[in-house]
Amino acid sequence: MFDDKVKQAQFPPGIGAFQRLESMPSAALFHFEDELLRIDFIAPEVIRIKISAGKIFEDSPTCLKTNWQAPVIEIHQRSNSTLIESEGVSVEVHHSPFNIKITRLNK
């Protein structure tokens, strides 16, 4: 029964080709052809990753604590990837093929 539901599911075709990166304080917004990807650094070791639906984000609360101290981040753009680091976490976004690698840093 589960296999039948999986076969019938409609999955989106993907997020499309990488277009550009927009840097924000403690966040990065990736513009892809079909969707947007936002990575928010909420605390040095806490991140939120959101992919839009039709290039629109549903901004609903994702945690109960609201008084986080936003960390300082560094963004390094490469030819086919972007590396974003706080003092506690490294996030590498590969543009094509699209994937995300998250590493806890031992600083």
Side-chain angles (χ1 to χ4, degrees), residues 42-60:
I42 297 170
E45 295 178 347
V46 179
I47 58 172
R48 176 178 50 204
I49 299 173
K50 294 185 97 171
I51 297 178
S52 66
K55 290 197 172 184
I56 298 171
F57 290 108
E58 179 185 324
D59 282 327
S60 57

PDB file of all heavy atoms in Angstrom, residues 42-60:
ATOM      1  N   ILE A  42      20.572  31.193  13.119  1.00  0.00           N
ATOM      2  CA  ILE A  42      19.802  31.698  14.254  1.00  0.00           C
ATOM      3  C   ILE A  42      20.692  31.854  15.483  1.00  0.00           C
ATOM      4  O   ILE A  42      20.539  32.780  16.262  1.00  0.00           O
ATOM      5  CB  ILE A  42      18.613  30.759  14.520  1.00  0.00           C
ATOM      6  CG1 ILE A  42      17.701  30.777  13.278  1.00  0.00           C
ATOM      7  CG2 ILE A  42      17.847  31.173  15.760  1.00  0.00           C
ATOM      8  CD1 ILE A  42      16.630  29.744  13.276  1.00  0.00           C
ATOM      9  N   ALA A  43      21.624  30.945  15.650  1.00  0.00           N
ATOM     10  CA  ALA A  43      22.628  30.960  16.719  1.00  0.00           C
ATOM     11  C   ALA A  43      23.868  30.293  16.127  1.00  0.00           C
ATOM     12  O   ALA A  43      23.788  29.709  15.045  1.00  0.00           O
ATOM     13  CB  ALA A  43      22.112  30.212  17.949  1.00  0.00           C
ATOM     14  N   PRO A  44      25.018  30.351  16.798  1.00  0.00           N
ATOM     15  CA  PRO A  44      26.233  29.771  16.206  1.00  0.00           C
ATOM     16  C   PRO A  44      26.086  28.318  15.754  1.00  0.00           C
ATOM     17  O   PRO A  44      26.707  27.922  14.781  1.00  0.00           O
ATOM     18  CB  PRO A  44      27.268  29.904  17.321  1.00  0.00           C
ATOM     19  CG  PRO A  44      26.830  31.115  18.067  1.00  0.00           C
ATOM     20  CD  PRO A  44      25.320  31.052  18.055  1.00  0.00           C
ATOM     21  N   GLU A  45      25.246  27.534  16.419  1.00  0.00           N
ATOM     22  CA  GLU A  45      25.078  26.132  16.054  1.00  0.00           C
ATOM     23  C   GLU A  45      23.637  25.790  15.665  1.00  0.00           C
ATOM     24  O   GLU A  45      23.278  24.618  15.625  1.00  0.00           O
ATOM     25  CB  GLU A  45      25.550  25.236  17.193  1.00  0.00           C
ATOM     26  CG  GLU A  45      27.033  25.371  17.451  1.00  0.00           C
ATOM     27  CD  GLU A  45      27.524  24.520  18.602  1.00  0.00           C
ATOM     28  OE1 GLU A  45      26.684  24.000  19.365  1.00  0.00           O
ATOM     29  OE2 GLU A  45      28.742  24.374  18.745  1.00  0.00           O
ATOM     30  N   VAL A  46      22.831  26.804  15.386  1.00  0.00           N
ATOM     31  CA  VAL A  46      21.426  26.576  15.001  1.00  0.00           C
ATOM     32  C   VAL A  46      21.173  27.275  13.674  1.00  0.00           C
ATOM     33  O   VAL A  46      21.360  28.478  13.552  1.00  0.00           O
ATOM     34  CB  VAL A  46      20.453  27.122  16.074  1.00  0.00           C
ATOM     35  CG1 VAL A  46      19.010  26.899  15.646  1.00  0.00           C
ATOM     36  CG2 VAL A  46      20.721  26.480  17.425  1.00  0.00           C
ATOM     37  N   ILE A  47      20.741  26.476  12.673  1.00  0.00           N
ATOM     38  CA  ILE A  47      20.412  27.050  11.374  1.00  0.00           C
ATOM     39  C   ILE A  47      18.994  26.650  10.984  1.00  0.00           C
ATOM     40  O   ILE A  47      18.452  25.658  11.472  1.00  0.00           O
ATOM     41  CB  ILE A  47      21.400  26.600  10.278  1.00  0.00           C
ATOM     42  CG1 ILE A  47      21.416  25.080  10.155  1.00  0.00           C
ATOM     43  CG2 ILE A  47      22.780  27.150  10.517  1.00  0.00           C
ATOM     44  CD1 ILE A  47      22.212  24.566   8.982  1.00  0.00           C
ATOM     45  N   ARG A  48      18.403  27.451  10.126  1.00  0.00           N
ATOM     46  CA  ARG A  48      17.085  27.126   9.554  1.00  0.00           C
ATOM     47  C   ARG A  48      17.259  27.159   8.046  1.00  0.00           C
ATOM     48  O   ARG A  48      17.776  28.132   7.489  1.00  0.00           O
ATOM     49  CB  ARG A  48      16.033  28.133   9.991  1.00  0.00           C
ATOM     50  CG  ARG A  48      14.676  27.882   9.339  1.00  0.00           C
ATOM     51  CD  ARG A  48      13.602  28.837   9.781  1.00  0.00           C
ATOM     52  NE  ARG A  48      14.078  30.210   9.678  1.00  0.00           N
ATOM     53  CZ  ARG A  48      13.581  31.204  10.392  1.00  0.00           C
ATOM     54  NH1 ARG A  48      12.630  31.002  11.266  1.00  0.00           N
ATOM     55  NH2 ARG A  48      14.049  32.434  10.235  1.00  0.00           N
ATOM     56  N   ILE A  49      16.825  26.098   7.389  1.00  0.00           N
ATOM     57  CA  ILE A  49      16.894  26.014   5.935  1.00  0.00           C
ATOM     58  C   ILE A  49      15.478  25.973   5.403  1.00  0.00           C
ATOM     59  O   ILE A  49      14.671  25.130   5.821  1.00  0.00           O
ATOM     60  CB  ILE A  49      17.671  24.754   5.489  1.00  0.00           C
ATOM     61  CG1 ILE A  49      19.104  24.822   6.012  1.00  0.00           C
ATOM     62  CG2 ILE A  49      17.635  24.607   3.978  1.00  0.00           C
ATOM     63  CD1 ILE A  49      19.906  23.563   5.769  1.00  0.00           C
ATOM     64  N   LYS A  50      15.165  26.894   4.500  1.00  0.00           N
ATOM     65  CA  LYS A  50      13.826  26.937   3.915  1.00  0.00           C
ATOM     66  C   LYS A  50      13.938  26.996   2.397  1.00  0.00           C
ATOM     67  O   LYS A  50      14.764  27.736   1.863  1.00  0.00           O
ATOM     68  CB  LYS A  50      13.049  28.157   4.403  1.00  0.00           C
ATOM     69  CG  LYS A  50      12.744  28.110   5.896  1.00  0.00           C
ATOM     70  CD  LYS A  50      11.878  29.260   6.302  1.00  0.00           C
ATOM     71  CE  LYS A  50      10.450  28.770   6.317  1.00  0.00           C
ATOM     72  NZ  LYS A  50       9.518  29.725   6.900  1.00  0.00           N
ATOM     73  N   ILE A  51      13.121  26.195   1.722  1.00  0.00           N
ATOM     74  CA  ILE A  51      12.996  26.251   0.270  1.00  0.00           C
ATOM     75  C   ILE A  51      11.589  26.732  -0.024  1.00  0.00           C
ATOM     76  O   ILE A  51      10.613  26.238   0.549  1.00  0.00           O
ATOM     77  CB  ILE A  51      13.271  24.881  -0.370  1.00  0.00           C
ATOM     78  CG1 ILE A  51      14.715  24.454  -0.093  1.00  0.00           C
ATOM     79  CG2 ILE A  51      13.008  24.933  -1.871  1.00  0.00           C
ATOM     80  CD1 ILE A  51      15.084  23.091  -0.639  1.00  0.00           C
ATOM     81  N   SER A  52      11.497  27.704  -0.895  1.00  0.00           N
ATOM     82  CA  SER A  52      10.199  28.308  -1.203  1.00  0.00           C
ATOM     83  C   SER A  52       9.309  27.344  -1.977  1.00  0.00           C
ATOM     84  O   SER A  52       9.758  26.315  -2.484  1.00  0.00           O
ATOM     85  CB  SER A  52      10.411  29.582  -2.029  1.00  0.00           C
ATOM     86  OG  SER A  52      10.961  29.253  -3.297  1.00  0.00           O
ATOM     87  N   ALA A  53       8.057  27.702  -2.070  1.00  0.00           N
ATOM     88  CA  ALA A  53       7.095  27.015  -2.927  1.00  0.00           C
ATOM     89  C   ALA A  53       6.582  28.068  -3.899  1.00  0.00           C
ATOM     90  O   ALA A  53       5.930  29.025  -3.486  1.00  0.00           O
ATOM     91  CB  ALA A  53       5.949  26.439  -2.103  1.00  0.00           C
ATOM     92  N   GLY A  54       6.955  27.952  -5.153  1.00  0.00           N
ATOM     93  CA  GLY A  54       6.568  28.970  -6.123  1.00  0.00           C
ATOM     94  C   GLY A  54       7.236  30.306  -5.850  1.00  0.00           C
ATOM     95  O   GLY A  54       6.644  31.354  -6.082  1.00  0.00           O
ATOM     96  N   LYS A  55       8.458  30.261  -5.333  1.00  0.00           N
ATOM     97  CA  LYS A  55       9.257  31.443  -4.972  1.00  0.00           C
ATOM     98  C   LYS A  55       8.624  32.284  -3.860  1.00  0.00           C
ATOM     99  O   LYS A  55       8.891  33.462  -3.736  1.00  0.00           O
ATOM    100  CB  LYS A  55       9.567  32.304  -6.199  1.00  0.00           C
ATOM    101  CG  LYS A  55      10.546  31.638  -7.152  1.00  0.00           C
ATOM    102  CD  LYS A  55      11.154  32.628  -8.101  1.00  0.00           C
ATOM    103  CE  LYS A  55      12.265  31.954  -8.889  1.00  0.00           C
ATOM    104  NZ  LYS A  55      12.957  32.880  -9.760  1.00  0.00           N
ATOM    105  N   ILE A  56       7.788  31.656  -3.040  1.00  0.00           N
ATOM    106  CA  ILE A  56       7.166  32.332  -1.896  1.00  0.00           C
ATOM    107  C   ILE A  56       7.451  31.500  -0.652  1.00  0.00           C
ATOM    108  O   ILE A  56       7.223  30.290  -0.630  1.00  0.00           O
ATOM    109  CB  ILE A  56       5.642  32.496  -2.093  1.00  0.00           C
ATOM    110  CG1 ILE A  56       5.363  33.362  -3.311  1.00  0.00           C
ATOM    111  CG2 ILE A  56       4.991  33.082  -0.844  1.00  0.00           C
ATOM    112  CD1 ILE A  56       3.907  33.419  -3.712  1.00  0.00           C
ATOM    113  N   PHE A  57       7.956  32.161   0.402  1.00  0.00           N
ATOM    114  CA  PHE A  57       8.208  31.492   1.673  1.00  0.00           C
ATOM    115  C   PHE A  57       6.988  31.612   2.569  1.00  0.00           C
ATOM    116  O   PHE A  57       6.356  32.657   2.629  1.00  0.00           O
ATOM    117  CB  PHE A  57       9.398  32.128   2.413  1.00  0.00           C
ATOM    118  CG  PHE A  57      10.717  31.861   1.771  1.00  0.00           C
ATOM    119  CD1 PHE A  57      11.396  32.873   1.118  1.00  0.00           C
ATOM    120  CD2 PHE A  57      11.283  30.599   1.829  1.00  0.00           C
ATOM    121  CE1 PHE A  57      12.626  32.634   0.531  1.00  0.00           C
ATOM    122  CE2 PHE A  57      12.513  30.347   1.239  1.00  0.00           C
ATOM    123  CZ  PHE A  57      13.183  31.365   0.584  1.00  0.00           C
ATOM    124  N   GLU A  58       6.682  30.529   3.262  1.00  0.00           N
ATOM    125  CA  GLU A  58       5.672  30.572   4.312  1.00  0.00           C
ATOM    126  C   GLU A  58       6.425  30.881   5.595  1.00  0.00           C
ATOM    127  O   GLU A  58       7.179  30.052   6.097  1.00  0.00           O
ATOM    128  CB  GLU A  58       4.949  29.239   4.428  1.00  0.00           C
ATOM    129  CG  GLU A  58       3.913  29.234   5.516  1.00  0.00           C
ATOM    130  CD  GLU A  58       3.284  27.871   5.696  1.00  0.00           C
ATOM    131  OE1 GLU A  58       3.075  27.152   4.715  1.00  0.00           O
ATOM    132  OE2 GLU A  58       3.005  27.531   6.861  1.00  0.00           O
ATOM    133  N   ASP A  59       6.273  32.085   6.098  1.00  0.00           N
ATOM    134  CA  ASP A  59       7.009  32.497   7.294  1.00  0.00           C
ATOM    135  C   ASP A  59       6.211  32.199   8.550  1.00  0.00           C
ATOM    136  O   ASP A  59       5.542  33.056   9.105  1.00  0.00           O
ATOM    137  CB  ASP A  59       7.363  33.992   7.233  1.00  0.00           C
ATOM    138  CG  ASP A  59       8.551  34.245   6.333  1.00  0.00           C
ATOM    139  OD1 ASP A  59       9.436  33.374   6.268  1.00  0.00           O
ATOM    140  OD2 ASP A  59       8.594  35.306   5.695  1.00  0.00           O
ATOM    141  N   SER A  60       6.283  30.957   8.972  1.00  0.00           N
ATOM    142  CA  SER A  60       5.648  30.565  10.226  1.00  0.00           C
ATOM    143  C   SER A  60       6.749  30.308  11.245  1.00  0.00           C
ATOM    144  O   SER A  60       7.852  29.897  10.885  1.00  0.00           O
ATOM    145  CB  SER A  60       4.791  29.314  10.029  1.00  0.00           C
ATOM    146  OG  SER A  60       5.577  28.269   9.506  1.00  0.00           O
TER     147      SER A  60
END
